[in-house]
Amino acid sequence: MKYYSTRKKSQEVSFRNAVIRGLAPDGGLYFPERIEKLPDGLIGCGKSIEELGFEVAKRFVDGEIPEVNLEQIVSETVNFPLPVVEVETDVFSLELWHGPTCAFKDVGGRFLARCLEYFVKESGEKITILVATSGDTGSAVAAGFLGVQGIDVVILYPKGLVSKIQEQQLTTMGQNISTLEVEGSFDDCQAMVKQAFNDSELRAAMKLSSANSINVARFLPQSFYYFGSYEKLEDKTKPVVYSCPSGNFGNLTAGMFAKEMGLPIAKFIGATNANDVVPEYLRTGVYTARPSIPTISNAMDIGDPSNFVRILELHGGNWEKVKESMVGYAFSDEETKGGMRDVISRTGYLMEPHGVIGYMAVKEYQKNHDVQGVVLETAHPAKFGDVVEPAIGKKVDIPERLQEYLRREKVATLIQPDFDQFKQFLLERI
Ligand SMILES: *Cc1c(COP(=O)(O)O)cnc(C)c1O
């Protein structure tokens, strides 16, 4: 199986090289040359997420990781609960936050890390992963790589611009994870990472890689839980829609891949905050990237969603076809707060600011469609306690695995947003 770049100006590569490279050299995203349907007798037959995930992964990895190893990788990727909770009639919450960092990104992070570990072991290379984070992504990626041999991770985060709990997660892992606290913005962090990839001296000295959601090994495994959750729905006759609180639209794209593979999903709902370029595209047929707007569901503050090109690619670039497969809704911060209050007071179920946007979108869609809606609940409410608590007027319990981070001692190197300082730091580590 080959992977081509969505810009079609780079060579096709193997799964291995697509994973190691992350982004194609022409700036496009890697895309598999085909998406195979799963054979009859797999979907809707009560199989486990491990079995289904393996069947999916095998078709994309296509022999580049031996089946025994791949089976192990898949089972370690989803070795925590991914329950489907009924919030009310015909609305279900797929809780994706039972992993080590309480965010759905654990799934992609774990799969990517284990695939890279396999490839690095095979070749004896050492890889340094650079991750710029605005708060949430860095910890899931780093936790995925924690203790993985042959791979070092360097995280960059903007000083003072992440929450206490996020900072503790970013700065206390130790082992092969090191953290730089940058006296600047997230954009400064990202700019330094980009510059590092373009620096010939650094590239000659060390093998650099990235781990953001453009990587095929980060977004593909997210399809596993679409298959897994579908098995748990009792009613297989009423149409099912999946609602994804979206930023870069990796989660939603993974669902579209699951559908291509045969999972009977009637519609996708792309739910956003004020950063609504995709709902706007669905309305007007025009895609206009713009700078992101800060909101209380900040993991979705994306003004130019990276996976949108994959959605286009799946639908031959055709607006009508995209509109057949998905709808979009956007919600303000006020609606988000009101939504959290409303869900807990009516149903007793607590949602956080991202998931609740997906929930409100399902309710909107159900006004005109008789369907079951599955909402991807992408994080634990305690990760966004400073937003959730005032909205619902109650304290949120912090799960033990988050409290554990709060007890540890922060270790981070403070640097200026200055590329030479960053480069020096990297070179000293070889
Ligand atoms: C990353 C993130 C999202 C957005 O996911 P995409 O795949 O980028 O659309 C939603 N919610 C939370 C909590 C996140 O961390």
Side-chain angles (χ1 to χ4, degrees):
M1 166 89 89
K2 291 282 185 216
Y3 287 78
Y4 64 88
S5 161
T6 51
R7 293 201 181 159
K8 307 193 171 81
K9 293 199 176 69
S10 300
Q11 268 190 337
E12 296 186 352
V13 296
S14 61
F15 176 74
R16 177 184 191 278
N17 285 336
V19 173
I20 291 174
R21 287 227 179 103
L23 191 68
D26 63 4
L29 271 62
Y30 284 117
F31 201 92
E33 62 183 350
R34 55 177 194 280
I35 302 171
E36 285 172 33
K37 285 246 180 308
L38 294 188
D40 289 346
L42 281 178
I43 297 171
C45 304
K47 296 223 181 295
S48 69
I49 186 170
E50 287 85 355
E51 287 172 277
L52 290 162
F54 174 63
E55 290 296 332
V56 170
K58 168 167 111 173
R59 287 171 170 77
F60 290 105
V61 173
D62 199 22
E64 289 179 62
I65 297 175
E67 293 201 351
V68 280
N69 301 67
L70 188 61
E71 232 175 320
Q72 172 93 20
I73 289 174
V74 171
S75 76
E76 285 177 15
T77 299
V78 291
N79 67 355
F80 47 82
L82 292 148
V84 175
V85 177
E86 184 170 15
V87 179
E88 60 194 276
T89 307
D90 284 339
V91 184
F92 300 88
S93 169
L94 168 53
E95 295 182 349
L96 299 175
W97 45 257
H98 294 266
T101 74
C102 296
F104 85 92
K105 292 187 176 78
D106 281 326
V107 173
R110 293 167 75 75
F111 187 79
L112 169 62
R114 283 160 181 77
C115 288
L116 265 179
E117 177 182 34
Y118 176 81
F119 293 136
V120 167
K121 253 192 206 151
E122 201 189 31
S123 68
E125 293 168 297
K126 212 171 149 53
I127 290 188
T128 303
I129 307 267
L130 304 179
V131 198
T133 183
S134 56
D136 225 36
T137 312
S139 51
V141 169
F145 284 101
L146 186 64
V148 170
Q149 299 241 320
I151 301 180
D152 276 341
V153 177
V154 178
I155 304 175
L156 297 86
Y157 76 96
K159 180 182 160 81
L161 297 179
V162 303
S163 74
K164 174 75 187 158
I165 217 161
Q166 286 173 336
E167 179 165 51
Q168 287 298 113
Q169 285 189 300
L170 292 170
T171 57
T172 64
M173 285 189 201
Q175 298 187 56
N176 55 332
I177 316 291
S178 8
T179 308
L180 292 171
E181 184 178 10
V182 179
E183 295 253 27
S185 65
F186 168 65
D187 290 338
D188 293 326
C189 298
Q190 198 155 38
M192 287 199 286
V193 167
K194 279 204 178 134
Q195 203 175 339
F197 284 111
N198 291 325
D199 189 280
S200 48
E201 195 186 343
L202 270 181
R203 297 212 71 135
M206 60 209 299
K207 194 159 181 98
L208 298 173
S209 188
S210 76
N212 52 21
S213 65
I214 54 172
N215 198 304
V216 286
R218 244 194 82 186
F219 102 89
L220 280 174
Q222 294 172 359
S223 65
F224 301 170
Y225 46 69
Y226 286 85
F227 286 98
S229 58
Y230 179 78
E231 295 305 318
K232 293 183 182 153
L233 296 175
E234 264 169 43
D235 185 350
K236 299 274 196 289
T237 54
K238 194 168 193 170
V240 186
V241 302
Y242 275 75
S243 180
C244 311
S246 296
N248 274 317
F249 283 78
N251 231 347
L252 192 143
T253 308
M256 287 179 165
F257 271 61
K259 183 175 180 176
E260 286 292 307
M261 301 190 84
L263 194 64
I265 298 176
K267 202 70 121 185
F268 291 93
I269 305 180
T272 71
N273 55 30
N275 296 280
D276 62 347
V277 286
V278 173
E280 182 186 84
Y281 163 81
L282 292 165
R283 231 176 21 249
T284 63
V286 182
Y287 179 87
T288 315
R290 50 177 91 92
S292 66
I293 304 162
T295 74
I296 58 168
S297 47
N298 58 20
M300 303 177 358
D301 293 350
I302 310 282
D304 186 9
S306 56
N307 277 288
F308 182 69
V309 293
R310 285 198 176 113
I311 294 179
L312 280 184
E313 189 68 25
L314 263 171
H315 298 90
N318 184 317
W319 177 51
E320 299 291 341
K321 290 218 173 103
V322 178
K323 283 203 299 178
E324 270 165 38
S325 92
M326 71 181 288
V327 294
Y329 298 104
F331 298 91
S332 68
D333 279 355
E334 280 317 304
E335 289 169 315
T336 305
K337 290 180 203 165
M340 287 187 280
R341 231 172 359 248
D342 166 61
V343 184
I344 196 163
S345 67
R346 274 191 305 104
T347 70
Y349 188 75
L350 175 62
M351 298 197 93
E352 53 73 57
H354 305 81
V356 82
I357 286 180
Y359 169 88
M360 291 188 290
V362 163
K363 296 297 276 185
E364 202 54 44
Y365 187 75
Q366 285 178 333
K367 285 182 180 164
N368 299 310
H369 301 86
D370 187 22
V371 295
Q372 315 180 69
V374 180
V375 179
L376 272 52
E377 179 46 291
T378 45
H380 190 285
K383 290 197 86 172
F384 301 94
D386 40 352
V387 175
V388 177
E389 289 177 355
I392 63 166
K394 258 195 253 179
K395 280 256 164 241
V396 177
D397 292 334
I398 302 178
E400 177 49 36
R401 62 197 187 287
L402 284 183
Q403 284 184 30
E404 171 65 30
Y405 286 110
L406 291 172
R407 284 192 288 269
R408 295 196 207 148
E409 198 186 330
K410 167 180 166 182
V411 181
T413 307
L414 188 67
I415 66 165
Q416 297 302 312
D418 167 38
F419 181 68
D420 289 328
Q421 265 190 44
F422 178 44
K423 183 169 169 179
Q424 207 49 43
F425 176 86
L426 291 176
L427 288 172
E428 276 164 15
R429 303 162 49 79
I430 306 170

